[in-house]
Amino acid sequence: MNLSVNLQMRQSQSLVMTPQLLQSIRLLQFQHAELQAFLEREAEANPLIELEPGSGAAPLGEGADAPDAGPAEPGDITPLTGASDNAEVFADAAERTGDGEDKAAPDLAFTGEGLVLSGFVAEDDGTDRLGEGPRSLRDHALGEICDTFRDARERALAQALFCDLTEAGYLAEGLPERTGELGLDESEAAALLERLQASAEPAGLFARDLAECLAIQLRRRGRFDPVIACVLAHLPLLARRDFAALARLTGETESDVADMLTEIRTLDPRPGAGLGEPDAAPVTPDIVVREDVSGGGWQAELNPAAFPRLSVRAPASLAPASVLKGDERGFLTNCQQSANWLQRSLEQRARTIQKVAGEIVRRQDGFLAQGIAGLRPMTLMDIAETLGLHESTVSRVTAGKFMATPRGTFEMKFFFTVAIAASGGGDAHSAESVKLRIGRMIAAETVDAVLSDDDIAARLKTEGVELARRTVAKYREALGLPSSVQRRRELNARRLAG
């Protein structure tokens, strides 16, 4: 084996990520709030950068006109303000209860300063923090405990036992352990909890599981009796709409059981949800879509409120060049170059976002005119190839950016959806439009014509949509719709009740 040392010359090309290039990439993926904060930091560090007053500071509706919303149509969605259906929460929670879990929500306990018993006087009752901003769920719990128990010993015990709640407002796990650590009898702890549950607001707070939460609310209404107690003890059956089994257990008719389900659906399965949480920040859309009255079609315009503007001052505005030292002149020269680059990067960012938004609007004009039914399949690569951009650039542009349309305000990622093959070789369908069709089919069912997943797949095929039964089941579950067996039971019960 021969070892030798030699010199070689090689020429190659490589991409060097300069600080300026990295900054441009970061600017492109920034959301509005992140961009505003970044520019404010830059303005503090660079004396030549001035943010124009009011630029990028007002959300749509406080500085820009929102597009007029068209008439609501079946299947339209409002992703930013939609309300959840308690029925789905009950069903999901009851199914988990049947699997051995006793919480209606993930057990995420709010933590904070621990309460220490010192001569049975709580060191922290939460009152010192009142008025310091939005109250947390823990603060609310402490306030309810203080209102319920006037005796100092009872109040301190209740704070040590019950102040930690899950996100849904249920007692955190470990109550028996905490009771033992305090040297209390379980009967004394249970008596304290019963008093607290009877008075706490909202009703259902401090419950140990879903069934107890619902029972507390029914007691407040004077509607709790042995029959409904039996129903709550068998929530998995209620979630499956097995009214026949519940009728046998309670001795009532299936119609009566259906009436009880209707009443239970009016209860709140998560009484702690939203307590103490600050109001959600308003969304500032980056793009506003309006109908082009003159030429037809749609126009995608930049929302000025989402694009902060800056101006670059001349170094001479700070001090004449004659009085500056060498290092000071060098500092201001670097500041000017940095500010000019940042200004150009912001302009390029705005052009790229508008270009991508314009192509999305052009491709999804069916959605703007018809709603979800008109949503077409579209991928990041489709937009990238049309505009001559890299797929990662389109991904950065659409992530965390919002578009205000006559159909509502949507994140730009919403418009990208997978393609569902069309039977017979026609145009492909978007997944969202197919989900809409499935939802409409199920909504139109009657007790004598309940569609199975196979029936839905067959009917979709006659409409030109090629979809496997298991995919139908996946989309149905994503819509929160029960199986055909459960739907038939519920429709049967409604007919008997009618």
Side-chain angles (χ1 to χ4, degrees), residues 46 49 310 312 335-345:
N46 191 330
I49 293 177
L310 59 83
V312 181
C335 285
Q336 187 174 33
Q337 291 175 350
S338 176
N340 287 334
W341 177 269
L342 180 57
Q343 191 175 48
R344 289 194 296 270
S345 296

Side-chain angles (χ1 to χ4, degrees), residues 20 25 45 54 68 90 97 105 119 128 214 231 265 273 281 284 311 341 395 402 420 431 436 457 465 469:
Q20 291 85 355
I25 293 174
D68 294 332
F90 285 128
T97 302
D128 290 341
L214 303 179
V231 172
R265 278 178 168 172
T284 303
S311 56
W341 177 269
S395 177
F402 290 85
I420 305 296
L436 178 65
V465 181
R469 184 205 61 79

Side-chain angles (χ1 to χ4, degrees), residues 428-451:
H429 306 272
S430 72
E432 294 299 328
S433 65
V434 172
K435 287 180 184 178
L436 178 65
R437 293 191 189 196
I438 293 173
R440 287 177 173 173
M441 287 180 189
I442 292 176
E445 287 177 334
T446 64
V447 68
D448 299 318
V450 177
L451 300 173

Side-chain angles (χ1 to χ4, degrees), residues 12 26 88 106 165 169 264 270 287 311 327 338 342 365 399 426 450 470:
S12 63
R26 289 176 60 201
E88 297 175 16
L165 301 178
I264 289 174
R270 297 170 56 87
I287 296 293
S311 56
D327 56 345
S338 176
L342 180 57
D365 58 341
V450 177
R470 62 181 179 275

